[in-house]
Amino acid sequence: MGPTRADADARLSLLRLYLLRGGYLFFAVGLVVTKWPLLIGHDLTWPLFEGVETSILVAFSLLAFLGIRYPLRMLPLLLLECLWKLIWLTAVVLPLWAAGQIDEATQQVVIACAPVLIIVAVIPWDHVVSRYVTARGDRWRPDHPRLAADTATREDVPIA
């Protein structure tokens, strides 16, 4: 039998796990410092989208703290953080830059997005590929009666 998902998790060195935990801490503390005061001290005339955005980012910070305890299980949170910024930079900023129309507000958001490079640096990309790209996905249909006797957990399933 080939390597299991648990084996793939065990292959990450303790140093890589601590670097990943540091990424979660950086992400969480950054949001605590910048977004929690906005949520706690807002007035009743708060613009709708600003309230929605701040609430989402405060929730992200809480999940990032959870990532310190479970760095591999919470990887999709860091992937989401990287992906939305990549999509925004590609779909919004790049066309503005190509047209020479980046304003000061857009520049400030680009600068605010730059620390995501720290997150990109600490993500164990080989683990991401083996866990989310090449591994067999979860089942779509009920187990076949002949296969129901196989009570192996997802952790015992070989990585494809």
Side-chain angles (χ1 to χ4, degrees):
M1 190 183 271
T4 66
R5 289 178 189 225
D7 294 336
D9 292 353
R11 279 186 289 209
L12 285 175
S13 70
L14 190 56
L15 175 62
R16 296 240 357 235
L17 288 173
Y18 276 116
L19 289 172
L20 190 54
R21 286 182 172 110
Y24 284 107
L25 183 64
F26 175 78
F27 181 32
V29 169
L31 290 173
V32 165
V33 168
T34 60
K35 298 301 176 180
W36 285 30
L38 297 176
L39 184 69
I40 294 166
H42 73 86
D43 56 10
L44 293 177
T45 60
W46 211 13
L48 176 64
F49 182 74
E50 189 175 333
V52 170
E53 173 204 17
T54 300
S55 297
I56 290 169
L57 292 174
V58 166
F60 272 22
S61 71
L62 295 172
L63 291 172
F65 280 119
L66 193 58
I68 295 169
R69 180 171 178 152
Y70 303 107
L72 295 177
R73 292 180 192 172
M74 296 302 294
L75 266 174
L77 179 69
L78 295 185
L79 297 176
L80 175 62
E81 178 68 5
C82 295
L83 285 173
W84 83 256
K85 289 179 179 178
L86 176 65
I87 291 168
W88 182 75
L89 288 168
T90 304
V92 176
V93 176
L94 191 58
L96 288 173
W97 177 75
Q101 297 180 357
I102 293 184
D103 60 9
E104 187 174 327
T106 305
Q107 284 179 329
Q108 289 177 352
V109 175
V110 169
I111 291 167
C113 288
V116 79
L117 295 174
I118 293 169
I119 303 300
V120 170
V122 300
I123 290 175
W125 290 104
D126 52 340
H127 177 80
V128 169
V129 170
S130 70
R131 184 78 176 212
Y132 300 109
V133 179
T134 60
R136 186 170 40 182
D138 294 333
R139 61 188 170 90
W140 288 76
R141 294 182 261 176
D143 287 335
H144 189 278
R146 287 184 293 159
L147 301 177
D150 179 18
T151 58
T153 65
R154 293 296 299 167
E155 298 299 321
D156 294 332
V157 176
I159 296 175

